[in-house]
Amino acid sequence: MTALHELTIAEARTLLDNGEITSVELTQAYLDRIVAVDNQVRAFLAIDDESALEQARAADEGRKGTISRAPTYRAPTKDEGRSASSLHGIPLAIKDVISTEGLTTTCGSRMLEEYVPPYDATVIARLKQAGAVLLGKTNCDEFAMGSSTENSAYFPTRNPWDLARVPGGSSGGSAAAVAASEAPGALGTDTGGSIRQPASLCGVTGFKPTYGRVSRYGLVAFASSLDQIGPFARTARDCAILLGAIAGADPNDSTCAPQPVPDYMAALTGDVRGLRVGVPREYFVEGLEPGVEAAIRAAIDVLREGGAEIVEVSLPHTKYAIPVYYIIAPAEASANLARYDGVRYGLRIPDETYWDELEKTRGAGFGGEVRRRIMLGTYALSSGYYDAYYKRAQQVRTLMRRDFQQAFEQVDILAAPTSPTVAFQIGEKADDPLAMYLADVCTLPISLAGVPGLTIPCGFSDGLPVGLQLVGRPFDEATLLRVGDAYQRMTDWHTRRPALS
Ligand code: GLN
């Protein structure tokens, strides 16, 4: 029998439902795995073992018909397609930018080192409502700014496939935890690629839903016109389970869309016949590693063999994604991070006047990349530069969004690389912010357009995982999950595991 920590969520669900295992056994298996490998991988910032086992016991009792825990959020209704029981007793890991009541939420920053939220984010409340077990909080780049998890104020996380390499970022801890079998699923956040890029580099499945699909109430804000919460798991099927549990309107978040949430599991037909798949030519250019390109082309061939029609398309404004993103995201970040003033939240370094205190606190609490973004963003928003930079960037963003609208008149989904390279060495780009920004070249346009993007493992280059990115129409997550699941029925890349001792 497969070791418990190697099960997918769907497999564990079946064993739990058949009474072959208990949630306590499953949770203990992950806690043991964390003890065995996390001193090497360092995916977690906090592990809540006592509480995890307590939640697992409650889940086990609940399954026998005595749900003892009071709901922290309104019960999901049937028409929202949420399957309340699918995560019951399933352990999960959570990126440390998502508020968890009673459990530290540091955002990978010294600024919030001691911060313990007094409430749960909506996604956490929904997971608890569904009976999921929270194992702990995962490492990330400070305030989700970065592509390698090296910007964490605490320590870098390592790629389970090669411990000398980065797991990607900013949700590197969540990606590495799933890749190293320390959790069967996790939540991350994606502002410009922070779910898809680390999932690709770690060889797991990761999904950024449409902007507005998932509530952000309780997510610590980075760039509010881009931030989105989404799942990591081994399979598209497991991502469908997780997304079904967290998606949908929230009275606490007016930016969360009222669109009904379909039954994602019902969408997984395994069929891609007749599907029109667009391959955007701008994603196959200089800088794309040959080994990555070969794996992506082979994956597209698999879809073709499955009956999909492959069409070349063009997204002509792709080349503006990096400059546009690195104006808009820092501008929004500079506004969002103004709240860390040493008075309301987190760190406080006392001094004579308010201004001295503010300066000292922000100087000590924020790392280099966060300070760089605040400076860039403040500059771009200042009068005199606002029109030249911020407004201009917003206008180009509209053109990029139109690229996608036009492409989706011809095709149902797009297929492209998730990352132009496989995982790079720790330290390789740490001192070169521009080189680091290039890591997001394939994910940023999708974020700027607000459309959903799924990444699935599709091969290896030099022994390191490659991810295929599938991009869909707004709110059409179901098609992406269907294609991802169909691909995973035809291939076995997603079943490969790193050899960790
Ligand atoms: N790597 C990008 C950045 O540094 C994206 C981060 C993210 O998606 N949170 O901003």
Side-chain angles (χ1 to χ4, degrees), residues 65-152:
T66 51
I67 294 179
S68 50
R69 276 179 328 132
T72 50
Y73 194 77
R74 77 189 160 80
T77 55
K78 260 237 166 65
D79 59 8
E80 284 177 298
R82 232 191 289 286
S83 158
S85 66
S86 53
L87 289 171
H88 204 127
I90 301 286
L92 298 171
I94 308 294
K95 185 180 183 181
D96 209 23
V97 293
I98 300 174
S99 300
T100 43
E101 184 183 345
L103 184 56
T104 50
T105 300
T106 69
C107 298
S109 181
R110 293 281 171 213
M111 190 60 97
L112 294 177
E113 190 162 9
E114 315 272 324
Y115 176 62
V116 179
Y119 69 104
D120 278 326
T122 294
V123 291
I124 299 299
R126 286 182 179 173
L127 291 179
K128 287 184 176 174
Q129 171 75 25
V133 171
L134 305 189
L135 291 168
K137 305 298 288 289
T138 56
N139 198 18
C140 55
D141 285 303
E142 185 173 8
F143 288 102
M145 297 177 193
S147 309
S148 69
T149 315
E150 291 165 291
N151 293 339
S152 165

Side-chain angles (χ1 to χ4, degrees), residues 182-332:
E182 297 175 79
L187 291 188
T189 61
D190 191 312
T191 301
S194 283
I195 291 175
R196 291 160 289 156
Q197 186 257 14
S200 173
L201 270 44
C202 288
V204 300
T205 304
F207 198 12
K208 181 200 89 82
T210 310
Y211 182 77
R213 178 48 105 187
V214 177
S215 167
R216 300 181 296 175
Y217 177 70
L219 166 65
V220 178
F222 162 15
S224 304
S225 76
L226 295 153
D227 297 340
Q228 192 56 206
I229 298 173
F232 288 91
R234 299 208 159 280
T235 63
R237 173 165 291 265
D238 285 358
C239 283
I241 295 173
L242 286 164
L243 184 64
I246 61 173
D250 175 11
N252 286 331
D253 178 1
S254 62
T255 67
C256 186
Q259 249 86 346
V261 179
D263 182 349
Y264 294 121
M265 298 304 280
L268 308 182
T269 60
D271 191 359
V272 295
R273 281 172 304 171
L275 184 89
R276 286 164 306 159
V277 179
V279 179
R281 77 172 73 93
E282 290 79 5
Y283 285 69
F284 295 84
V285 289
E286 219 188 290
L288 180 63
E289 282 177 359
V292 171
E293 173 161 6
I296 299 296
R297 300 261 183 218
I300 293 169
D301 284 342
V302 170
L303 295 177
R304 183 185 284 117
E305 282 153 26
E309 186 193 331
I310 311 297
V311 189
E312 194 184 77
V313 297
S314 173
L315 301 166
H317 297 92
T318 299
K319 59 176 177 291
Y320 301 116
I322 291 180
V324 166
Y325 175 87
Y326 280 99
I327 296 290
I328 293 176
E332 294 180 7

